Amino acid sequence: DIQMTQSPSSLSASVGDRVTITCRASQVISNYLAWYQQRPGTSPKLLIYAATTLQLGVPSRFSGSASGTDFTLTISSVQPEDVATYYCQKYNSAPFTFGPGTTVHIK
Amino acid sequence: QVRLVESGGGVVQPGGSLRLSCAASGFSFSNYGMHWVRRAPGKGLEWVAFIWNDGTNKFYGDSVKGRFTISRDNSKKTLYLQMNSLRGEDTAVYYCATELVVVAGSTWGQGTLVTVSS
């Protein structure tokens, strides 16, 4: 099965900082990569799909990029409401594995 | 609006069984594949199972294979997860979610808590 890794596992940033989270697939998954945000006490929310496509209604400070089996989620100017855990997920075929998550804190 | 509502969670002893339900509304349920995903306390999201829109194919994560069964009733717009031989490590909030589709994205329920404890 394809494994998904993420780094870092957590980070602390100041409001307005640029934040980058990386996800790596152990094998080629084309661009079948999604990013989810889960705020404390809430359900996961889809941010980006097809590695780079912003879901409707998601703020434009979120963006995604891809290079081979490496994927990146960037928050261009982090805001207090972005405190959450972020997960990547492969969705080309089963098993639909999630990465272990990256928790974003605000300093 | 598009909505998913899970139910059926609760406290169950190790080795016991539980059936979760996920009621769908606001969209054409029979057109979408459906997932179950869980999050254990202090852990990340774990994909549990997926079923095709017509129920003909089902897929499971390794940790639940042979113990859990996903099913659906399109006439009732309801997704199910039958959980047998429950273990402490199955303790989690269980979410149902639609498959990810272009533009529409993916909709998730609010989750239902399953606690396996004696």
Side-chain angles (χ1 to χ4, degrees):
Chain A
D1 290 345
I2 296 174
Q3 305 304 312
M4 306 298 293
T5 57
Q6 276 183 245
S7 62
S9 57
S10 68
L11 65 90
S12 186
S14 299
V15 173
D17 281 354
R18 183 181 185 87
V19 166
T20 299
I21 300 168
T22 298
C23 172
R24 175 170 288 173
S26 61
Q27 299 175 38
V28 171
I29 58 170
S30 297
N31 275 357
Y32 292 97
L33 191 282
W35 289 98
Y36 290 88
Q37 175 195 63
Q38 189 172 29
R39 295 185 175 120
T42 70
S43 303
K45 172 188 173 183
L46 177 67
L47 297 177
I48 287 169
Y49 63 91
T52 62
T53 303
L54 197 67
Q55 174 62 16
L56 293 173
V58 174
S60 58
R61 63 179 180 274
F62 292 93
S63 63
S65 64
S67 177
T69 57
D70 291 340
F71 303 88
T72 300
L73 173 69
T74 299
I75 310 174
S76 60
S77 175
V78 72
Q79 300 300 305
E81 60 266 32
D82 299 335
V83 168
T85 301
Y86 295 83
Y87 299 89
C88 61
Q89 184 198 26
K90 62 174 284 289
Y91 63 95
N92 56 324
S93 61
F96 300 92
T97 309
F98 288 92
T102 297
T103 301
V104 172
H105 304 276
I106 298 292
K107 290 179 184 175
Chain B
Q1 76 276 24
V2 177
R3 196 171 182 220
L4 296 171
V5 178
E6 301 94 337
S7 60
V11 180
V12 59
Q13 292 188 340
S17 297
L18 210 57
R19 188 177 83 155
L20 305 183
S21 298
C22 168
S25 60
F27 67 104
S28 184
F29 179 71
S30 61
N31 287 348
Y32 287 80
M34 295 293 297
H35 296 276
W36 285 102
V37 175
R38 68 185 181 185
R39 186 173 187 187
K43 300 287 184 68
L45 296 175
E46 179 186 12
W47 173 75
V48 173
F50 177 73
I51 185 169
W52 281 15
N53 66 307
D54 60 4
T56 55
N57 266 291
K58 306 172 185 181
F59 305 88
Y60 299 93
D62 286 345
S63 62
V64 306
K65 207 170 290 184
R67 300 187 299 124
F68 289 13
T69 302
I70 189 172
S71 62
R72 65 191 296 159
D73 185 335
N74 285 345
S75 67
K76 295 182 178 178
K77 295 188 173 183
T78 302
L79 175 73
Y80 302 101
L81 185 68
Q82 177 66 43
M83 304 186 295
N84 298 332
S85 303
L86 283 161
R87 307 166 179 166
E89 54 265 36
D90 296 318
T91 295
V93 175
Y94 285 74
Y95 301 97
C96 60
T98 64
E99 68 173 314
L100 197 161
V101 295
V102 173
V103 179
S106 175
T107 297
W108 292 61
Q110 85 289 348
T112 187
L113 176 62
V114 172
T115 302
V116 183
S117 174
S118 54

